[in-house]
DNA sequence: TATTTGCACTTGCAATTTGCAAGCAAAATT
DNA sequence: AATTTTGCTTGCAAATTGCAAGTGCAAATA
């Protein structure tokens, strides 16, 4: 995936050049909500991303400053991927996607509950997630 | 573009199956903000979508209930594409993308001004756009 | 210590999708 | 009547995706 060719100066278009594909936001979702952080964590997600695609997306997200790669504190064999500030700031976008989904898709009751809570006080929800992420 | 295979039950994943690509949200942007409505309007957008890709995206968006195709009131040669309620409801997502862009990309001052206004009172901005769209 | 397993990838290749150019029929304009 | 516009479709090369297999190092197990 090419990371350096802008189609236009439109901010929306530039943003889509960064995360406008079927996989990037799912990786970011895993980082935001499911405490995932290693290559294998992402591979195991239920959507079943192919290993080469995962590698290319992680590389692109890193090059675009959305995630940061570091050594895993518990094992030399592992790497740890974390969201940068820029990546964490994608949370409001993802929340709005969830809120839209809630209106137009069926989904498990448990997820519905979480969305309800998030919708009720968006700022509080965002702050809570950020707190959890930065506490680690 | 296949429109009917879900990768998982995750609402975010399902949403990305609908609009998670480099072009769909740009078409929706044109409909939301730039009063575009015909095939040629979309073709002329500065990002330069290929004609076959445009056709496939319009078809997929229609199948997914995001847009509706109708006869153009002024010409039999033209069609008119409009956003459905479901499509208009994507506005908050797109607004959050603009707000994120505002933080991390350079962009024309004029767009910055609009984003500032939108950020100031999101609900008011959304209502204003909806009003303009439904007045037609 | 030797061997197996886990982790983070890379490589090869077929299938799908994209992007470009050309073509086309119906409607509108000259 | 001839030309242009509109909304597509078609053909084809190039790029991207998805699947399977392989690699090299670290860590766990025998």
């Amino acid at each position: 995936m090419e990371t350096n060719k802008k189609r236009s100066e439109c901010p929306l278009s530039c943003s889509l050049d960064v995360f406008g594909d079927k996989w990037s936001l799912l990786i970011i979702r895993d980082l935001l909500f499911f405490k995932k952080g290693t290559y294998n964590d992402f591979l195991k997600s239920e959507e079943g991303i192919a290993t080469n695609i995962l590698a290319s997306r992680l590389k692109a997200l890193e090059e675009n400053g959305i995630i940061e790669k570091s050594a895993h504190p518990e094992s030399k064999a592992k790497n740890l991927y974390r969201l940068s500030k820029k990546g964490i700031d994608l949370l409001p976008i993802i929340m709005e996607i969830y809120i839209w989904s809630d209106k137009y898709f069926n989904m498990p009751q448990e997820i519905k509950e979480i969305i309800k809570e998030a919708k009720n006080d968006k700022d509080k929800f965002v702050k809570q997630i950020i707190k959890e992420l930065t506490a680690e």
Side-chain angles (χ1 to χ4, degrees), chain A residues 15-77:
Chain A
S15 296
L16 292 174
D17 288 340
V18 173
F19 57 77
D21 68 87
K22 298 247 177 293
W23 296 109
S24 296
L25 287 183
L26 296 183
I27 295 170
I28 294 160
R29 167 203 66 185
D30 288 349
L31 286 160
L32 277 170
F33 303 129
F34 303 130
K35 312 260 182 209
K36 298 194 173 185
T38 68
Y39 194 89
N40 246 291
D41 287 343
F42 304 127
L43 260 195
K44 277 182 233 145
S45 288
E46 59 172 343
E47 289 83 12
I49 189 170
T51 174
N52 54 338
I53 305 296
L54 176 58
S56 84
R57 286 306 175 283
L58 289 172
K59 184 161 173 271
L61 288 171
E62 200 186 354
E63 280 170 6
N64 283 304
I66 308 291
I67 61 174
E68 287 154 10
K69 186 181 181 174
S70 59
H72 197 284
E74 287 163 18
S75 159
K76 274 191 191 173

Side-chain angles (χ1 to χ4, degrees), chain A residues 116-128:
Chain A
K116 201 170 164 184
E117 190 197 332
K119 216 162 54 173
N120 237 18
D121 190 341
K122 288 181 192 175
D123 285 347
K124 189 180 158 193
F125 189 84
V126 167
K127 274 177 194 155
Q128 179 59 31

